[in-house]
Amino acid sequence: MSEIVEIDIVVIGAGLAGLRALHTFRAQGFSVRVLEASDEIGGVWNFNRYPGARCDVESFDYSYRFSEALEQDWRWSERYAKQPEILRYINHVADRFDLRRDISLNTRVRRAELQAGTGRWIIEAEDGQVWSASRFVMAVGQLSTPKATTYPEQGTFRGQILYSARWPREPVDLKGKRVAIIGTGSSGVQMTPIIAAEAEHLTVFQRTANYSIPAANAPVSDEEDAAVKAGYRARREAARNSPSGLGFAPDPRSAAEVDPAEREEAFEKAWNRLGFGFALTFKDILLNQAANDIASAFVQRKIGEQIDSPALRKKLVPKGFAFGTRRPSVDGGYFAAFNRPNVSLVDISETPIESFTANGIRTTKEDLPFDVVIYATGFDVFTGSILKIDIVGRDNQTLKSAWAGGPASYLGIGVHGFPNLFFIGGPGSPSLLSNVILSSEEQIDWLAALFESARQADIIEIEATAQAQADWVDHVNARANETLYMTTPSYYIGAEMPGKPRVFMPYSGGVRGYRRILEKAAANGYDGFELR
Ligand code: N01
């Protein structure tokens, strides 16, 4: 073991959240070290380099709000930025705010243990480096541990296997190739039209048909750029006060009560302009089955209209679950790609994949030849990257055992039994149900104030109380039960991994509601945390 480095704060993860945490905590005068497993910063935007990868939150909103100069200087080229542009932005931020000197790349943390009596965390990397920190912040992302999907005989396949979430940095030439994509979540949906235009033949393996809304992407004109920048503060405030941090307020009426012609017009407008925000056309699409049925039927019709073949339409139009209860995609021509003669669909709910062969994939119906197979099968969401690290709290309790029945926390930020351990974007916070960068910045500002107040009062340990945690878990569940999310197996409830506890993980009470709860806790002396 190498010499232990004493430091105020260790942050794990150099993605958007970790970098903002570094900037903020360092500006307060704390010594901070960010530990990052990759050889590059950027988190998901470093790893997900597949063709067509772009954000489905508008660039003006999917960006930091902490620096007005940065807001004014940065020029987004498109309404929904592509992955390379977002990665350039992240690197610009790292350089502009001189962040790199406090980031250790190629540093994968394997273990963190609370040191009895001192409140300090001893954090060990795989290469033997060790830090001792008085505050330990995890900013490891929710979609950062890809599922290790495999099929029998995979090793015999003579072609190339690629992963959407570990896409190579060097260009991949798919021209003239027979390509398979397994998975039709946002990643599969985004890459399909791009690869369809390049490959000789593309076969998409679909297990569950996914709702998807057109992205309505467009270049950002100089006029739009100037207009947004002139009113940026108001735009940020609107986002903070909107349900998902996307900036628009839903029509306060029920979709079920609005005159059908007026409703159709509202849906049409949202379909053509709002992308992901379509789910917020009316206030109760995710709350009320009757309202959702109407919205689901609209989306199903719109999807069906894009597909020429009746047989394909039947397979590709999602059914059997409420729109929005699994994360919908935002696409740039996904369904229309299936009208091309070089694109086909295999519905693996009917003809499952049996195995790989030397030349491709064998389903229960046929052998299909491929040169390249792409896994776009998603992630071990919310807890995958947290629980990969062996985290040992008070009385030798591991976080894995504490969360054996699913993640429990207070405010999604602290866990009883694990003083001085904090999460950004963790389970129990709005995270993936929100504009995640906005939610991360809220939490980081709140943590910064907590750390400052603890420093002034010589507080060594900050720990969520058992009661506050139990009450928060009840509250998260109560809010989830007011929604339709619980009606559908999804990664929000751990259904993406066999054997994972079925617990609703994000906080569905909205970013504004969540912020008010944070503000109230702070105003009451960080109510729910024991400061000692
Ligand atoms: O992953 P997913 P993703 N055999 O979990 C299928 C964000 N994101 O990487 O639904 C065969 O959504 C699985 O089928 P089923 C966004 O939050 C954003 O696409 O489990 N198939 C599903 O079709 C998104 O929600 C953008 O039946 C298997 C797919 O693989 C999240 O990341 C872009 C399988 C996985 O879909 C994850 O998206 C990309 C198996 N064994 C991602 N296992 C933006 O636009 C799973 N599947 C910003």
Side-chain angles (χ1 to χ4, degrees):
M1 201 189 270
S2 58
E3 198 183 318
I4 298 180
V5 179
E6 300 269 332
I7 196 140
D8 293 331
I9 302 174
V10 159
V11 176
I12 306 190
L16 283 161
L19 297 180
R20 167 65 149 91
L22 166 57
H23 175 67
T24 302
F25 300 152
R26 200 174 67 183
Q28 293 177 284
F30 292 114
S31 57
V32 186
R33 170 88 358 209
V34 174
L35 308 178
E36 166 58 51
S38 174
D39 61 351
E40 260 208 52
I41 62 169
V44 289
W45 300 107
N46 167 30
F47 285 112
N48 291 266
R49 297 170 187 244
Y50 59 82
R54 64 169 80 234
C55 190
D56 57 8
V57 173
E58 285 197 41
S59 316
F60 285 120
D61 303 308
Y62 193 84
S63 52
Y64 291 119
R65 66 151 197 252
F66 70 85
S67 160
E68 287 189 35
L70 171 67
E71 272 175 355
Q72 293 298 322
D73 291 350
W74 186 262
R75 175 69 167 85
W76 292 108
S77 70
E78 291 180 280
R79 187 177 291 158
Y80 298 98
K82 284 200 189 84
Q83 173 271 335
E85 188 169 1
I86 300 174
L87 195 56
R88 268 202 307 281
Y89 172 76
I90 293 171
N91 277 285
H92 169 80
V93 170
D95 291 333
R96 184 176 182 131
F97 298 98
D98 191 20
L99 300 180
R100 294 185 201 275
R101 64 186 157 92
D102 289 318
I103 301 172
S104 297
L105 298 172
N106 298 306
T107 305
R108 181 176 289 283
V109 173
R110 64 175 186 89
R111 191 165 202 280
E113 181 170 356
L114 183 72
Q115 199 178 46
T118 67
R120 296 187 77 83
W121 283 88
I122 307 301
I123 297 152
E124 295 172 29
E126 277 180 353
D127 66 2
Q129 293 184 82
V130 187
W131 291 263
S132 163
S134 55
R135 313 275 183 245
F136 175 30
V137 177
M138 296 196 80
V140 292
Q142 308 80 12
L143 298 160
S144 41
T145 294
K147 281 165 75 170
T149 315
T150 56
Y151 287 100
E153 309 298 327
Q154 190 162 306
T156 64
F157 179 52
R158 286 199 294 257
Q160 189 180 14
I161 295 182
L162 296 170
Y163 300 84
S164 60
R166 292 289 179 272
W167 198 265
R169 292 194 189 162
E170 57 283 1
V172 178
D173 185 6
L174 296 174
K175 259 189 233 77
K177 302 258 172 77
R178 297 161 303 175
V179 179
I181 298 175
I182 304 176
T184 55
S186 297
S187 304
V189 162
Q190 280 188 331
M191 69 174 81
T192 288
I194 313 283
I195 293 178
E198 192 183 347
E200 178 190 303
H201 193 91
L202 170 64
T203 304
V204 176
F205 289 81
Q206 168 189 279
R207 190 162 71 178
T208 309
N210 196 10
Y211 287 100
S212 185
I213 310 285
N217 190 30
V220 174
S221 67
D222 288 343
E223 292 70 33
E224 188 185 358
D225 182 63
V228 170
K229 286 176 177 169
Y232 228 142
R233 298 277 47 82
R235 186 177 176 117
R236 296 289 193 196
E237 277 313 297
R240 291 180 84 207
N241 287 300
S242 65
S244 308
L246 298 172
F248 27 75
D251 187 317
R253 294 170 297 170
S254 165
E257 287 164 4
V258 175
D259 166 70
E262 189 189 343
R263 182 171 63 215
E264 177 74 12
E265 200 185 319
F267 276 149
E268 190 69 42
K269 220 165 125 197
W271 176 265
N272 289 316
R273 177 62 180 87
L274 290 191
F276 192 54
F278 177 88
L280 299 168
T281 318
F282 294 97
K283 68 161 191 199
D284 60 350
I285 290 176
L286 291 166
L287 304 177
N288 172 308
Q289 191 65 55
N292 190 285
D293 287 346
I294 298 166
S296 296
F298 178 92
V299 178
Q300 287 161 351
R301 172 160 58 83
K302 285 295 206 183
I303 289 174
E305 284 168 8
Q306 299 171 65
I307 306 158
D308 295 342
S309 147
L312 273 177
R313 201 178 302 139
K314 215 166 147 212
K315 290 181 196 297
L316 283 165
V317 172
K319 51 186 167 298
F321 65 98
F323 169 76
T325 55
R326 295 156 57 89
R327 170 69 151 71
S329 299
V330 171
D331 71 273
Y334 173 67
F335 297 105
F338 290 92
N339 299 331
R340 299 173 61 108
N342 70 329
V343 178
S344 46
L345 181 78
V346 173
D347 183 343
I348 55 176
S349 67
E350 288 173 3
T351 54
I353 296 174
E354 281 195 334
S355 67
F356 274 79
T357 64
N359 296 319
I361 286 179
R362 175 168 300 155
T363 71
T364 51
K365 186 174 154 217
E366 60 195 331
D367 277 9
L368 295 162
F370 295 112
D371 304 302
V372 180
V373 173
I374 299 169
Y375 278 115
T377 49
F379 301 85
D380 181 354
V381 185
F382 288 109
T383 50
S385 295
I386 297 171
L387 295 179
K388 260 196 320 213
I389 299 170
D390 186 16
I391 298 174
V392 185
R394 210 182 32 246
D395 303 328
N396 279 327
Q397 189 186 23
T398 63
L399 190 63
K400 212 171 263 162
S401 66
W403 283 7
S409 70
Y410 173 50
L411 302 174
I413 289 179
V415 179
H416 181 65
F418 297 82
N420 294 337
L421 168 64
F422 306 95
F423 297 92
I424 299 168
S429 76
S431 60
L432 292 184
L433 289 182
S434 69
N435 173 359
V436 77
I437 182 169
L438 180 147
S439 288
S440 301
E441 291 201 88
E442 290 296 348
Q443 287 185 317
I444 291 161
D445 286 337
W446 190 85
L447 275 178
L450 168 61
F451 292 171
E452 184 52 40
S453 130
R455 173 164 61 184
Q456 283 175 17
D458 288 328
I459 297 294
I460 292 171
E461 287 194 337
I462 305 169
E463 182 180 359
T465 68
Q467 187 59 50
Q469 178 166 305
D471 291 347
W472 183 249
V473 169
D474 286 349
H475 177 65
V476 169
N477 288 331
R479 295 312 304 257
N481 284 323
E482 291 165 7
T483 71
L484 298 173
Y485 285 115
M486 303 302 280
T487 63
T488 306
S490 72
Y491 66 54
Y492 297 133
I493 58 173
E496 83 285 9
M497 299 287 290
K500 196 164 167 171
R502 296 284 177 104
V503 173
F504 190 75
M505 284 182 278
Y507 177 61
S508 60
V511 299
R512 182 175 61 170
Y514 179 73
R515 175 162 51 84
R516 286 184 173 160
I517 292 168
L518 290 188
E519 283 167 357
K520 196 165 155 221
N524 291 336
Y526 297 97
D527 203 13
F529 281 98
E530 195 182 329
L531 309 181
R532 56 182 178 254

